[in-house]
Amino acid sequence: MKPCFDQSSKYSQQRNWVQAIILRTDDYPLEELIGVLDKNEHARYQAFVNPLHKKDFALAHILKRRVLSGYLQLEESAPLHFGKTRMGKPYLHKHPIHFNLSHSRGIVALVFSNTLICGVDVEAHRTQHFSTNLLKVSMTAAEQQAIQGAKNPIAEFYDRWVTKEALIKAQGVGLRQPLDTLCTIKQHYPTMREDRLISQEQLWQLSAPDYSLAICALGPKPDFFVEYPAVLYS
């Protein structure tokens, strides 16, 4: 099976770009694709008990391998070797490319860039996951007020949650950065440290009926390209 993503002329005039690819796992049977995973990924896949989580994980890492191989113009047989930083952020050995993955209950997202460090977070909207306690520990007072006053508080909550998570994942700081120390409403916190405010220029956001997604890129304002749905077969 050949890599499914080729370098496109749309990048040729863009110095700073971030490509995002989004898929719904229901659209892809695993039988023809599972062999793309390496031994470590396959062992992790087998360890999942929940079938939905299992498929999310598998398709996220299949997407990662197929797309990055295609972009880097590698032969089908060329192995990709991935590692993790001390804080758990994944990277690709021997290739100057930044990428990040996220998946949630049937939605998978991959972002990558040749120049910009990037992060992505996607969350399916779950009524049972939303609680007053979670709101208090993850949002500033101004954000809590905005969420509680929104027409759709659950969607508003997840829109802000994924924005914070995308920034944290781009920075590669893991769980060391509490979500309630970040703010998505700059005018309420003019004295907050710049690294804890989220610039709209660094973001691409999607608020779908059943999920929220955010991409964050560190550095100059990027051009965002989004492909949905993804093509995994070629």
Side-chain angles (χ1 to χ4, degrees):
M1 189 176 291
K2 297 178 182 179
C4 67
F5 191 90
D6 295 321
Q7 293 197 56
S8 170
S9 60
K10 67 185 176 184
Y11 301 130
S12 61
Q13 302 300 319
Q14 310 295 337
R15 182 175 181 182
N16 296 304
W17 53 264
V18 176
Q19 171 74 53
I21 302 180
I22 307 165
L23 63 81
R24 288 186 182 271
T25 61
D26 285 347
D27 298 335
Y28 301 91
L30 282 178
E31 289 76 11
E32 297 180 44
L33 297 166
I34 198 67
V36 175
L37 300 178
D38 68 10
K39 290 182 179 180
N40 178 60
E41 290 164 343
H42 197 272
R44 293 172 63 192
Y45 160 74
Q46 293 287 8
F48 281 93
V49 175
N50 184 304
L52 180 59
H53 297 167
K54 191 172 187 176
K55 190 173 184 180
D56 284 358
F57 172 87
L59 283 172
H61 290 274
I62 290 166
L63 179 67
K64 170 192 73 178
R65 288 185 171 276
R66 301 290 324 282
V67 168
L68 296 185
S69 291
Y71 174 75
L72 294 168
Q73 298 184 319
L74 300 177
E75 295 294 331
E76 181 182 356
S77 59
L80 291 178
H81 298 291
F82 295 91
K84 288 186 177 181
T85 66
R86 184 172 59 88
M87 299 303 297
K89 186 173 184 179
Y91 64 89
L92 178 59
H93 288 286
K94 298 182 179 180
H95 294 285
I97 190 167
H98 304 284
F99 76 94
N100 202 231
L101 277 174
S102 184
H103 52 83
S104 176
R105 303 181 71 82
I107 308 294
V108 170
L110 166 74
V111 295
F112 66 97
S113 174
N114 67 338
T115 58
L116 298 176
I117 297 172
C118 48
V120 62
D121 193 55
V122 61
E123 290 289 343
H125 296 171
R126 290 172 286 166
T127 304
Q128 68 273 24
H129 183 243
F130 181 71
S131 68
T132 302
N133 183 60
L134 182 61
L135 186 64
K136 289 181 178 179
V137 300
S138 62
M139 299 291 158
T140 64
E143 290 169 328
Q144 292 177 43
Q145 184 176 3
I147 291 167
Q148 291 167 338
K151 184 177 180 180
N152 186 339
I154 292 176
E156 185 76 12
F157 168 78
Y158 279 110
D159 287 350
R160 296 184 186 278
W161 175 285
V162 295
T163 299
K164 296 185 182 199
E165 287 281 359
L167 174 62
I168 288 173
K169 292 178 72 176
Q171 292 175 333
V173 297
L175 298 176
R176 292 179 59 184
Q177 178 73 73
L179 291 183
D180 64 348
T181 65
L182 297 170
C183 187
T184 56
I185 308 176
K186 185 170 184 176
Q187 62 269 30
H188 286 270
Y189 293 87
T191 61
M192 183 175 277
R193 280 170 38 186
E194 281 299 315
D195 64 343
R196 296 189 178 183
L197 289 168
I198 303 171
S199 167
Q200 291 300 312
E201 291 186 348
Q202 296 174 297
L203 290 174
W204 188 88
Q205 296 165 292
L206 173 63
S207 185
D210 59 339
Y211 71 91
S212 297
L213 180 144
I215 304 162
C216 184
L218 304 182
K221 181 180 180 179
D223 290 290
F224 290 102
F225 299 99
V226 180
E227 180 180 332
Y228 179 84
V231 177
L232 289 181
Y233 302 95
S234 58

